[in-house]
Amino acid sequence: MYGLIHTALRDMVIEELGDHTWLEITEVSNVPSDSFLTMRSYDDEVTLALVSAASSVLKLPVADALEAFGLYWMTTFAPKEYGALLDHTGNDPIQFLENLDDLHDRISTAFTDFKPPSFRVAISSQNAATIKYVSNRKGLTPFVLGILKGLGQRFDNGIEITKIEPVACERGEQCDITISLENADG
Amino acid sequence: MDSQLCEILDQLFTFTFSIDEELAVSRISKRLKAQLPEIKDRSHFLETFECHRPAGIHSFTDLETSDQSMFLLISRDKKLALKGQLIRLIDSHAYQFVGMPWLAWMNEKAPETKLKLGDFPKLDSQMDQEFYFTSQQSMVRDLEELNEKLMIAEGEAKEASRVQSDLFAIMSHEMRTPLNGVISALSLISDEDSSLEKNKLISIANESANNLLSVINYTLDYSKIDAGRMTLQEQDFSLSALIESVVTVTESRAKEKKLTVTSRLDIDTSESVRGDSEKLRQVLINIVGNAIKFTDEGEVSITVSKSKGNNMYCFTIEDTGAGIDSADLEKIFDPFWGKATGSSGISTGLGLNIVKRLVEIMAGNITAISTQGHGTTFQVFIPLSSDAHTKGTLAVEERRTQQSQLAMPNSFSGKVLLVDDNQTNLMLGKMMLEKHGVSVRTASNGQEAVEIARDITFDLVLMDISMPIMDGVTATKEINNRENPPPVVALTANVRDELINKYRADGFKGYLRKPLGSQALLTELNLWLKPNPMSLGVTIDSEKDLSKTSILEALWSQIGEENFQRVRELFLEETERRVNVLLGAWVRRDLEAMRKEAHTISSSVASFGCEDLAWRLKQIEQASSENDVREIIKYMKDIESVSTDSLKAVTSFSVTEEV
């Protein structure tokens, strides 16, 4: 994962729980440095070590920690760092999700080690859709759920996750996530 | 253009339209119409768009000449900017524009126009680049943050190291004082009073205490160098005098081992050189001391030579000792080396490391060669400027001529009143007088002296001239007005004939030049006081005292280390305070206050060998008394830095005799 992700995790912990908690998490994780470079690609083990240390220090299940991180990413970190790009990605949750692969494609041209997941949207009714999530990595579905909830907040249109259906796959993780929107207009 | 081709172009590009020879636009793509509703079929190209690039498009011919260029178009309502190119199909008289939003312009000039990722063809990289640049900015920020963290960490590390060095320095200093007490006490225990067994124990205690003192001294030096406080203190000096002093200091140990220490100077000894004589002396004493320590028979020789064509001096110290094996030779300058080898006697293992670092501070170099069983040769290369003016040497010469070899007692009985407003001079004078057995009272001004002399009968009064409240001349006149007055001798830095004559006329019985020299003092005491019956005759050899050693060394040996430490502490504190008073007076342009202060400080700084500072203060004193502000400025502008440097030199002075 790129340093960008680790920086976001650090910012979230420091903003919400203070420097000392971040220090504790890095100590527990045994990660050699608590400073990360946005465009440097780090081994996925660094990310996993940080997430599991955060879970242990905060006494939260890993899934809950990941979901909280997804929510922070979507509502705070990404708008702060890449506000204009998010604006270009969509005006409502569905449009945003439909363009998400395009956004990730463009990021891939700059971050050559970036292995983004794929999101395909199937609209089932005016206020419901199913997102087919496909990732090369295992265990990040809770992070996606946080992102989806954050999207609802971003567009002031509450998103409820009604169903998560895992799809069998040879590697990584896949699932169909059904969502319903509070307002039907997007 | 057939509709199939138009469709393909519309899939490849966000915005497309045709331009004919009359510059009318047609076949406008849906997405362009959606973004720019004003555009209609047959709209005039130049009325719809401002052609930002290429410049100077006014006709279809202009388009033909620029059809290989990039086109940057801005809608006349300034809500949309396009980036693209013209393509011309075979057999067509029209151009086809194909392009997409010009992202940078849109972000900057029309941020309210909401563009979406879908507005940019996949083959267009503007959006990718935006992400890339944003990330690059974050990267720069990350690096700046890291840099800042590193700088803070570096600062903290340096501070921690400084604190540690300070602690070492303070601890070493604090340990040295009581240890000196132990050594003095041990030396006072008379051998005659003790049994053979007790004497042996006292001797062990004495040796251990002295060893501990040298360990503490090294620790102090080491921490000073580590903290960067060991700076270069340059002065003019005579190399032959310096080498002789090294021989003098080390030869008693050599004699104990039946060794000889010889020196040879293959240089012109008539001229003085400029460099840090204290550090050089310390280096040579260390190496020679070491050579003596590891040599059981034969000799230790010191040779000084100079490279032709430059100012590099080479000091070669050769011994006939056991030698060092080649593996050890590589490590001898490492800290704690001596410790690891378990060499005889106590050792910090810091001596040669300190030597090397001192040599490096002097911009020099040190090497060692050795063959086991055939002795060791150390070579120290130090650059010393040899074209130095000879102010320092001349001063020594001058003093030299003032004293001849005399034999006289060194201990007297009697009461002496010492009067001076400079507290350092008072303490120093008192110590020097007490060394000669007399009892001393002190007074800080004429008034106080007159009052004390009213109640106590003194055998001699040593009176400073310029003092606050009541000056020395007035006080002397008052004392002389009494019955059987004691002889009053003037203490003065002004020894011009007319002033001396004036002092005699004012009732002074003699004068002593400041800074107080021990020979002159002895001569004066011999004149006015009774020698102690038990006093030993002492030969005054002014050359030995003054030319072979620095003023600080002479002072150190005159009053002993403990007294030296005490008076140095007072001197540093008083000089710093008085220099501040002088600076304050200068700010107020109070020339009278400046004259008095410069006079007071100059006498004690001269006692501590700060000749340059003393000389400047004398100039300031003189210029102040003549109201010559231009002259004062000349000397005041550097007084603070000269004073700081001088005090540093006094602070760092130490006498170390063995490795």
Side-chain angles (χ1 to χ4, degrees):
Chain A
M1 291 248 188
Y2 275 89
L4 182 67
I5 298 284
H6 306 141
T7 305
L9 186 62
R10 182 195 65 189
D11 285 5
M12 178 180 84
V13 172
I14 290 173
E15 272 173 39
E16 294 179 6
L17 301 158
D19 286 324
H20 62 283
T21 309
W22 175 247
L23 204 66
E24 206 180 331
I25 289 172
T26 50
E27 272 173 20
V28 170
S29 71
N30 276 329
V31 169
S33 165
D34 71 336
S35 293
F36 305 100
L37 299 177
T38 297
M39 293 185 75
R40 186 183 151 189
S41 175
Y42 294 83
D43 199 290
D44 276 4
E45 281 175 16
V46 174
T47 322
L48 288 174
L50 286 172
V51 169
S52 59
S55 144
S56 139
V57 169
L58 305 176
K59 297 185 175 57
L60 269 180
V62 171
D64 289 2
L66 278 173
E67 188 175 321
F69 182 42
L71 183 68
Y72 176 81
W73 176 271
M74 193 63 232
T75 55
T76 310
F77 191 80
K80 185 177 76 188
E81 298 291 320
Y82 298 100
L85 273 170
L86 295 194
D87 288 345
H88 295 313
T89 308
N91 291 337
D92 59 63
I94 296 298
Q95 191 184 33
F96 193 97
L97 288 165
E98 282 175 334
N99 281 331
L100 203 48
D101 275 4
D102 193 3
L103 177 69
H104 282 154
D105 291 344
R106 291 176 190 278
I107 295 170
S108 301
T109 67
F111 284 19
T112 52
D113 288 330
F114 184 39
K115 292 175 216 146
S118 169
F119 297 87
R120 298 215 178 86
V121 183
I123 298 167
S124 46
S125 69
Q126 267 197 323
N127 63 347
T130 299
I131 296 123
K132 188 172 271 299
Y133 164 69
V134 179
S135 173
N136 287 326
R137 296 184 172 92
K138 271 187 183 299
L140 293 181
T141 302
F143 178 73
V144 175
L145 301 182
I147 295 266
L148 290 171
K149 288 179 181 169
L151 262 184
Q153 287 185 22
R154 176 176 172 81
F155 296 109
D156 200 18
N157 189 351
I159 289 180
E160 193 190 339
I161 290 147
T162 52
K163 198 164 123 191
I164 303 166
E165 201 170 333
V167 176
C169 57
E170 277 185 17
R171 56 190 289 255
E173 194 163 87
Q174 289 185 24
C175 62
D176 295 336
I177 305 166
T178 307
I179 59 168
S180 74
L181 298 161
E182 210 169 73
N183 305 317
D185 54 353
Chain B
M1 191 190 294
D2 64 36
S3 60
Q4 202 183 351
L5 185 59
C6 279
E7 217 168 280
I8 292 170
L9 290 179
D10 280 356
Q11 282 179 40
L12 283 173
F13 301 98
T14 318
F15 304 135
T16 65
F17 57 88
S18 295
I19 313 168
D20 65 18
E21 285 168 308
E22 289 166 15
L23 293 180
V25 298
S26 58
R27 296 180 194 276
I28 304 156
S29 65
K30 280 182 195 162
R31 280 190 283 190
L32 180 56
K33 278 183 184 166
Q35 290 286 351
L36 195 64
E38 295 81 11
I39 194 167
K40 301 279 183 288
D41 227 22
R42 307 300 299 164
S43 292
H44 192 275
F45 171 63
L46 292 175
E47 285 172 12
T48 312
F49 297 106
E50 172 203 333
C51 191
H52 186 75
R53 296 287 300 167
I57 301 291
H58 303 294
S59 64
F60 192 78
T61 318
D62 293 337
L63 286 183
E64 285 179 308
T65 55
S66 306
D67 63 3
Q68 297 303 306
S69 303
M70 175 191 277
F71 275 70
L72 297 174
L73 309 175
I74 300 162
S75 69
R76 291 289 172 187
D77 66 1
K78 308 277 186 205
K79 285 182 180 160
L80 186 68
L82 281 57
K83 172 193 173 215
Q85 67 182 90
L86 298 183
I87 51 175
R88 195 173 197 178
L89 301 173
I90 299 161
D91 300 332
S92 167
H93 295 294
Y95 275 110
Q96 189 74 18
F97 173 87
V98 292
M100 63 287 294
W102 174 12
L103 183 62
W105 189 94
M106 295 294 291
N107 278 347
E108 197 183 327
K109 316 274 187 189
E112 69 286 351
T113 307
K114 299 286 181 201
L115 292 169
K116 292 288 158 281
L117 286 175
D119 293 325
F120 297 85
K122 305 285 183 206
L123 51 81
D124 177 56
S125 63
Q126 291 181 93
M127 202 59 99
D128 318 6
Q129 281 170 1
E130 179 164 291
F131 179 78
Y132 184 75
F133 290 138
T134 312
S135 302
Q136 280 285 10
Q137 283 169 3
S138 303
M139 189 78 168
V140 169
R141 202 181 53 219
D142 294 343
L143 290 170
E144 281 170 349
E145 269 174 24
L146 264 181
N147 191 34
E148 197 177 329
K149 271 189 183 177
L150 284 173
M151 287 201 309
I152 291 170
E154 189 192 15
E156 285 173 352
K158 278 186 180 165
E159 176 61 13
S161 164
R162 194 191 60 76
V163 168
Q164 193 185 33
S165 298
D166 276 357
L167 179 72
F168 274 127
I170 293 166
M171 289 302 290
S172 309
H173 188 77
E174 291 298 314
M175 285 189 279
R176 210 156 57 162
T177 310
L179 187 59
N180 278 321
V182 172
I183 291 170
S184 306
L186 283 169
S187 66
L188 287 173
I189 298 173
S190 166
D191 289 356
E192 289 162 17
D193 299 343
S194 308
S195 66
L196 199 62
E197 191 61 23
K198 271 186 189 166
N199 273 338
K200 201 175 160 191
L201 291 173
I202 289 166
S203 159
I204 290 169
N206 217 342
E207 195 180 334
S208 300
N210 278 304
N211 283 335
L212 185 54
L213 183 63
S214 73
V215 171
I216 289 169
N217 283 336
Y218 279 124
T219 314
L220 197 56
D221 281 349
Y222 191 81
S223 57
K224 267 189 210 161
I225 295 173
D226 247 15
R229 295 212 184 108
M230 201 68 107
T231 52
L232 215 54
Q233 307 290 338
E234 292 198 323
Q235 63 187 64
D236 300 331
F237 65 97
S238 152
L239 268 177
S240 59
L242 182 126
I243 297 298
E244 279 187 57
S245 98
V246 172
V247 174
T248 307
V249 167
T250 52
E251 69 187 348
S252 61
R253 286 203 62 207
K255 276 178 188 160
E256 281 171 21
K257 295 182 77 174
K258 297 189 172 58
L259 301 171
T260 52
V261 179
T262 63
S263 68
R264 198 181 81 221
L265 280 78
D266 298 337
I267 52 167
D268 176 4
T269 53
S270 64
E271 65 177 16
S272 68
V273 292
R274 189 165 182 82
D276 193 327
S277 60
E278 288 299 334
K279 288 190 184 63
L280 179 57
R281 185 172 176 276
Q282 191 178 344
V283 163
L284 297 177
I285 288 174
N286 267 312
I287 301 173
V288 174
N290 225 16
I292 294 167
K293 189 172 173 184
F294 293 103
T295 302
D296 291 329
E297 57 182 37
E299 64 162 26
V300 174
S301 68
I302 309 167
T303 313
V304 184
S305 58
K306 180 177 180 270
S307 305
K308 277 182 185 163
N310 63 34
N311 290 328
M312 191 61 83
Y313 284 78
C314 175
F315 302 83
T316 306
I317 296 99
E318 213 166 346
D319 67 48
T320 52
I324 307 164
D325 82 46
S326 55
D328 278 344
L329 203 57
E330 290 173 13
K331 299 178 204 148
I332 54 169
F333 295 113
D334 293 349
F336 312 115
W337 169 76
K339 274 239 124 359
T341 59
S343 54
S344 65
I346 195 161
S347 167
T348 53
L350 290 175
L352 283 176
N353 180 258
I354 289 171
V355 161
K356 185 169 191 287
R357 293 165 77 169
L358 287 175
V359 168
E360 282 165 358
I361 290 171
M362 291 186 278
N365 188 22
I366 181 168
T367 61
I369 42 174
S370 184
T371 313
Q372 251 188 328
H374 294 92
T376 306
T377 304
F378 280 89
Q379 282 198 308
V380 180
F381 299 89
I382 303 284
L384 297 167
S385 44
S386 50
D387 54 347
H389 55 94
T390 51
K391 192 176 72 185
T393 315
L394 290 177
V396 169
E397 291 300 324
E398 197 183 321
R399 280 182 235 142
R400 232 181 230 174
T401 58
Q402 287 174 1
Q403 297 285 339
S404 57
Q405 290 203 345
L406 295 165
M408 61 175 76
N410 70 346
S411 182
F412 304 87
S413 61
K415 287 190 212 125
V416 176
L417 174 62
L418 177 64
V419 193
D420 200 313
D421 61 326
N422 182 310
Q423 295 307 306
T424 308
N425 285 344
L426 269 190
M427 186 192 271
L428 193 56
K430 186 168 187 279
M431 286 168 176
M432 290 169 84
L433 286 164
E434 283 174 345
K435 286 284 271 188
H436 293 299
V438 298
S439 88
V440 185
R441 280 294 300 264
T442 59
S444 297
N445 59 61
Q447 178 77 50
E448 212 182 309
V450 169
E451 280 165 18
I452 294 173
R454 190 175 292 139
D455 304 329
I456 302 168
T457 308
F458 287 98
D459 301 297
L460 176 66
V461 179
L462 301 178
M463 179 79 77
D464 185 24
I465 303 293
S466 172
M467 287 180 291
I469 305 173
M470 183 189 283
D471 64 43
V473 174
T474 315
T476 302
K477 282 178 182 166
E478 286 211 14
I479 290 170
N480 283 339
N481 280 340
R482 294 182 194 151
E483 215 171 301
N484 297 325
V488 184
V489 168
L491 293 172
T492 177
N494 297 318
V495 286
R496 294 198 309 273
D497 285 348
E498 66 270 25
L499 273 172
I500 299 306
N501 290 337
K502 182 185 171 299
Y503 294 151
R504 289 197 195 286
D506 286 336
F508 288 98
K509 295 287 185 287
Y511 73 92
L512 274 171
R513 182 183 173 151
K514 292 206 292 191
L516 212 48
S518 72
Q519 294 76 35
L521 179 65
L522 208 52
T523 310
E524 210 60 34
L525 295 181
N526 193 41
L527 215 55
W528 302 108
L529 302 177
K530 284 182 195 152
N532 263 335
M534 296 297 288
S535 174
L536 296 168
V538 62
T539 302
I540 296 178
D541 182 347
S542 62
E543 276 189 34
K544 186 167 183 176
D545 274 348
L546 292 167
S547 70
K548 288 182 184 175
T549 54
S550 75
I551 290 177
L552 283 176
E553 279 166 11
L555 190 59
W556 188 87
S557 63
Q558 270 171 36
I559 60 176
E561 176 158 4
E562 197 178 345
N563 278 338
F564 180 83
Q565 302 287 11
R566 276 175 57 211
V567 75
R568 169 161 71 176
E569 210 166 292
L570 176 66
F571 165 74
L572 293 171
E573 183 273 320
E574 185 176 19
T575 309
E576 196 181 342
R577 180 166 45 79
R578 284 189 183 271
V579 167
N580 283 332
V581 172
L582 177 68
L583 290 167
W586 176 228
V587 172
R588 298 192 311 275
R589 294 292 188 273
D590 183 346
L591 301 192
E592 180 54 20
M594 285 182 76
R595 185 191 65 73
K596 285 182 179 164
E597 211 56 54
H599 173 84
T600 308
I601 312 169
S602 68
S603 61
S604 57
V605 298
S607 302
F608 276 80
C610 312
E611 289 179 354
D612 188 21
L613 179 60
W615 179 73
R616 280 166 196 272
L617 288 163
K618 278 280 153 217
Q619 305 308 311
I620 292 166
E621 183 191 348
Q622 178 74 21
S624 300
S625 66
E626 291 164 1
N627 287 329
D628 187 347
V629 173
R630 186 178 291 182
E631 193 72 1
I632 298 176
I633 291 172
K634 203 162 114 190
Y635 298 104
M636 275 305 286
K637 68 180 167 60
D638 294 330
I639 201 75
E640 208 172 353
S641 62
V642 172
S643 152
T644 308
D645 289 349
S646 304
L647 295 188
K648 267 187 195 163
V650 174
T651 309
S652 63
F653 172 79
S654 67
V655 176
T656 316
E657 296 185 14
E658 61 177 323
V659 175

